Amino acid sequence: MTPLLEVRGIDKSFGPVQVLHDVTLHAHAGEVTALVGDNGAGKSTLVKCIGGIHPIDAGEIVFDGKPVQVHGPRDAGELGIEIVYQDLALCDNLDIVQNMFLGRERRSGLVLDEATMEELAQQTLSGLSVRTVKSIRQQVSSLSGGQRQTVAIAKAVLWNSKVVILDEPTAALGVAQTAQVLELVRRLADTGLAVVLISHNMNDVFAVSDRIAALYLGRMAAQVRTADVTHAQVVELITAGRSGDLGLKNGVTP
Amino acid sequence: MSKTTEVTDEALIAAVRQPSIGSSARAYTERVRRGDMGALPAVLGLLVLCTAFAVARPSFVTAINFANLFTQGAAITVIAMGLVFVLLLGEIDLSAGFTSGVCAAVLAVLLTNMGMPWYVGVLAAIVTGTVIGSVLGGLVAKIGIPSFVVTLAAFLAFQGLVLVLVNEGTNISINDPVIKAVAQRNLPPALGWALYAACVAAYALVQLVRARKRASRGLVSDPISLIAARVAALAVLAGAAVYLLNLERSLNPAFASLSGVPVVVPIIVALLVLWTFVLRRTAFGRHLYAVGGNAEAARRAGIAVDRIKVSAFMICSSMAAVGGIIAASRASSVDPNTGGSSVLLYAVGAAVIGGTSLFGGKGRVLDAVLGGAVIAVIDNGMALMQYGASVKYLVTGFVLLLAAGVDALARKRAAAAGLR
Ligand SMILES: Nc1ncnc2c1ncn2[C@@H]1O[C@H](COP(=O)(O)OP(=O)(O)OP(=O)(O)O)[C@@H](O)[C@H]1O
Ligand SMILES: [Mg+2]
């Protein structure tokens, strides 16, 4: 089966600092791919490259078997790639509906079609079985951390997307809400989406993922099936870049 | 979250769920308590000031003085309306005052020195404003110079530009009857009432149609009682204003009658409706708020942040041009001081007093009108009290500081309530 989203040989530098070295990652439809790695390994940077926030220095992005150019968030959105960023990227001064449709507002003629947007937002939120948000016309500034996270995820699934990438969606959440988000992640994949989940929590990773990709100092150490590895091996991949036969040789080449 | 916050959450939500006048009022008081005061300071300030001046100087409450307030405050209000767009982004335009001066000078040169018809002059003035705005916006958005610096430089440069246009200090008089009518003539009383009726009816219709549409789709909509209250409030306030403005205010009516709504009033109302529509009902307006609230989030949503910024400066400077035309009309002339001295600070003050935040993301065009009214009342009342320019500057400076302080405190309060 060809992966739905594949990035090959991505290099990315910020000035003199090279953050990503020849990174390859694939995500399959109907699967959760966990992207793991230590703080500063380059996970968020990789995601921002896929989302068109950062231009890439080298490498290519292949979507559904075809090489594509992603020059901005709109390009990614048009392909069906939606990203929930670690730093949530919501506008505090706008309400939930306004945030969910930001940049892609429904219009009738010149005028915003508020009623349709409100209906669609309501449908999406109830489709995610979100009950914690009481009014979708609340300003985002009045929401709790978990509720904001929910809005950010709802925003990503609103668009009939094919790939959803979540950058540490559970980092700020309590136990119950974490379980909810993980359940949601699993459900998204079960409906046929390719989901990439970034997390530092090994229990979460093993609970929901089908594959694990481990980044080590900006290099892809290994991408393996979750069923084929143990907790300890993944931890070794994260901290040392290798574990037995898996991982980088000499800390550089896989 | 503390218990009190949860209670307030409930109050807000109840209002959204089964809206009624009572619950809407409760939701409003909750918002105020949380630091989102909106127009409240401006309205209260207006009441206090008017009462104080009315007590101290009975001449403050004459028909002629009431009409004066509108023509005196018009230019500042229009400039402030434009500034709202720039302030919404968290930017500032310190050159708006002298931009209005430059555009007024362009108008005067074309009309008086070159004998062009009024519409050519007006068009040229507004285009000049738009071009100025695109240059300022370009420098801020594309090159990344802070708007404070760009517009401070422009503030100085435009002062020089006005001098060049009026030949180092001569005063160009404006004799075109159409331009002079803008700030000096009044509508026939019957036309005033007709426009009033049309405005109130249009407002009621828009509100009703929207509520009906939303209700028919099963969405939360404003209750009919709330809409009725709003329409009634508008009808009473605007009706009282039109009535007062239609009173005879000439000292010698047999010689020359003077009554009617000043021509600037419908101009301001039209601009208010236009820009409110743009901000509240179009994608462009939504994107403006988004960029002001969180520019990075806007960028990630695929919004062309640079373009939004440039557009905001273009709107601001174009509105400054309109303000300049009104100022020129009122003075019947343009001189090196047009748009100078306190014009800019009054305009920024008007926007901020009305409730537009200096930190971006929060503000309405209506704020400029409310704040403009406060400024006009202060300016007018102080003159009636025969205080000199010194006291006027001191008081206005204090009021601006007060408004900015209220803005900053409201933000702090909102932060304390966990809203930011
Ligand atoms: N805009 C930027 N400019 C310069 N350096 C950057 C930028 N963004 C990220 N970096 C650097 O790139 C490296 C990788 O950062 P990144 O945010 O991708 O890590 P991460 O794997 O997401 O870490 P975490 O788990 O803490 O979120 C870090 O060393 C960081 O300092
Ligand atoms: Mg990260």
Side-chain angles (χ1 to χ4, degrees):
Chain A
M1 195 173 83
T2 56
L4 184 56
L5 173 72
E6 195 175 358
V7 299
R8 294 187 194 137
I10 300 256
D11 286 343
K12 174 70 196 170
S13 303
F14 292 109
V17 188
Q18 190 167 356
V19 176
L20 297 178
H21 305 262
D22 193 21
V23 171
T24 294
L25 172 76
H26 29 96
H28 296 262
E31 288 189 354
V32 177
T33 305
L35 178 59
V36 298
D38 245 336
N39 291 124
K43 304 181 294 296
S44 297
T45 305
L46 176 59
V47 166
K48 284 177 184 168
C49 288
I50 297 172
I53 303 288
H54 295 321
I56 53 178
D57 300 339
E60 62 174 349
I61 299 175
V62 181
F63 188 83
D64 214 1
K66 289 180 280 289
V68 290
Q69 301 288 324
V70 182
H71 293 300
R74 267 181 206 279
D75 292 347
E78 271 159 28
L79 287 170
I81 303 175
E82 291 294 328
I83 300 179
V84 179
Y85 292 99
Q86 188 170 13
D87 42 348
L88 284 175
L90 297 174
C91 291
D92 272 352
N93 59 337
L94 300 183
D95 67 31
I96 295 176
V97 182
Q98 292 172 340
N99 263 293
M100 284 175 68
F101 281 87
L102 191 60
R104 289 181 279 193
E105 290 83 2
R106 284 289 169 101
R107 291 179 232 184
S108 52
L110 195 66
V111 187
L112 292 173
D113 186 354
E114 298 284 354
T116 303
M117 289 196 277
E118 201 169 316
E119 275 174 1
L120 289 172
Q122 187 69 63
Q123 277 166 22
T124 306
L125 283 168
S126 37
L128 298 177
S129 347
V130 173
R131 279 168 302 268
T132 52
V133 182
K134 285 159 199 154
S135 162
I136 55 175
R137 283 298 180 183
Q138 253 175 301
Q139 275 205 359
V140 163
S141 61
S142 70
L143 299 179
S144 77
Q147 290 172 326
R148 290 160 153 269
Q149 192 62 256
T150 316
V151 171
I153 296 175
K155 181 182 180 181
V157 300
L158 178 65
W159 300 101
N160 289 323
S161 30
K162 302 191 179 99
V163 179
V164 172
I165 305 178
L166 303 116
D167 195 350
E168 301 198 29
T170 59
L173 301 189
V175 180
Q177 269 168 332
T178 299
Q180 248 182 23
V181 168
L182 291 179
E183 199 186 305
L184 179 60
V185 165
R186 194 59 251 176
R187 228 172 325 135
L188 290 180
D190 292 343
T191 56
L193 274 68
V195 181
V196 176
L197 172 73
I198 298 180
S199 176
H200 286 290
N201 186 314
M202 282 310 117
N203 292 326
D204 295 355
V205 166
F206 275 87
V208 294
S209 72
D210 302 290
R211 292 168 197 266
I212 297 176
L215 263 183
Y216 175 73
L217 297 180
R219 290 181 170 82
M220 188 55 74
Q223 188 161 0
V224 294
R225 291 202 147 273
T226 308
D228 299 343
V229 288
T230 63
H231 271 52
Q233 279 177 304
V234 176
V235 171
E236 262 188 285
L237 283 172
I238 291 171
T239 52
R242 55 178 302 170
S243 168
D245 291 341
L246 289 171
L248 304 164
K249 310 284 180 287
N250 339 314
V252 187
T253 45
Chain B
M1 281 234 167
S2 73
K3 197 163 182 198
T4 49
T5 338
E6 266 167 36
V7 172
T8 57
D9 266 345
E10 288 304 323
L12 282 176
I13 290 148
V16 175
R17 275 198 173 156
Q18 309 112 7
S20 69
I21 287 211
S23 63
S24 305
R26 275 200 299 285
Y28 179 74
T29 39
E30 267 322 313
R31 277 211 305 278
V32 171
R33 287 241 308 270
R34 284 178 162 199
D36 177 11
M37 304 220 254
L40 200 60
V43 172
L44 287 181
L46 213 48
L47 285 177
V48 170
L49 285 166
C50 286
T51 316
F53 285 134
V55 170
R57 280 288 177 277
S59 59
F60 180 79
V61 280
T62 54
I64 187 155
N65 197 50
F66 185 61
N68 278 346
L69 285 175
F70 288 89
T71 41
Q72 284 170 357
I76 300 282
T77 301
V78 169
I79 298 173
M81 285 178 169
L83 274 167
V84 166
F85 285 78
V86 170
L87 293 175
L88 268 179
L89 300 180
E91 307 279 354
I92 184 90
D93 183 357
L94 296 175
S95 66
F98 275 112
T99 300
S100 79
V102 168
C103 298
V106 167
L107 174 82
V109 168
L110 284 176
L111 293 189
T112 306
N113 297 5
M114 299 170 71
M116 297 279 189
W118 66 270
Y119 47 87
V120 174
V122 167
L123 194 70
I126 294 177
V127 168
T128 305
T130 314
V131 170
I132 288 175
S134 63
V135 172
L136 296 178
L139 290 171
V140 172
K142 306 281 184 202
I143 301 188
I145 314 173
S147 60
F148 176 80
V149 178
V150 170
T151 60
L152 189 60
F155 169 83
L156 285 174
F158 292 167
Q159 220 164 329
L161 202 52
V162 178
L163 277 172
V164 171
L165 286 167
V166 301
N167 286 330
E168 303 294 333
T170 52
N171 169 333
I172 308 181
S173 65
I174 288 183
N175 303 312
D176 186 282
V178 176
I179 298 297
K180 281 172 79 167
V182 169
Q184 296 183 17
R185 300 298 293 270
N186 306 296
L187 302 179
L191 183 57
W193 281 118
L195 281 179
Y196 160 79
C199 284
V200 174
Y203 180 71
L205 198 68
V206 167
Q207 296 264 312
L208 278 175
V209 167
R210 181 174 308 142
R212 184 68 63 79
K213 256 193 194 153
R214 289 181 60 89
S216 74
R217 298 177 74 160
L219 297 168
V220 176
S221 59
D222 289 340
I224 207 85
S225 53
L226 182 62
I227 294 176
R230 280 199 208 119
V231 173
L234 177 72
V236 169
L237 284 175
V242 173
Y243 172 76
L244 289 173
L245 290 169
N246 277 349
L247 291 177
E248 180 58 53
R249 50 182 183 266
S250 169
L251 295 174
N252 188 354
F255 174 63
S257 174
L258 183 63
S259 68
V261 176
V263 173
V264 283
V265 173
I267 294 179
I268 288 182
V269 171
L271 289 170
L272 173 67
V273 171
L274 167 73
W275 293 125
T276 302
F277 173 81
V278 167
L279 277 185
R280 312 301 303 188
R281 302 272 160 247
T282 68
F284 170 73
R286 181 66 43 83
H287 295 173
L288 252 160
Y289 281 100
V291 172
N294 185 343
E296 180 58 23
R299 191 169 84 87
R300 290 190 197 166
I303 293 170
V305 175
D306 288 3
R307 229 178 319 165
I308 296 282
K309 278 194 184 170
V310 176
S311 317
F313 276 93
M314 285 167 71
I315 291 172
C316 180
S317 300
S318 305
M319 287 296 281
V322 177
I325 295 170
I326 294 173
S329 163
R330 181 156 179 267
S332 293
S333 71
V334 173
D335 62 43
N337 224 1
T338 304
S341 79
S342 55
V343 169
L344 173 80
L345 282 185
Y346 276 8
V348 174
V352 175
I353 291 168
T356 295
S357 174
L358 287 167
F359 302 97
K362 177 171 157 275
R364 299 170 307 171
V365 185
L366 180 63
D367 295 345
V369 178
L370 292 172
V374 173
I375 295 278
V377 166
I378 295 178
D379 204 43
N380 175 291
M382 301 291 279
L384 288 181
M385 308 273 283
Q386 272 145 21
Y387 288 126
S390 55
V391 179
K392 218 150 105 178
Y393 282 135
L394 281 169
V395 169
T396 313
F398 176 73
V399 170
L400 175 55
L401 201 59
L402 193 69
V406 168
D407 177 26
L409 283 176
R411 237 177 104 87
K412 256 182 135 167
R413 221 181 147 124
L419 295 190
R420 255 171 218 278

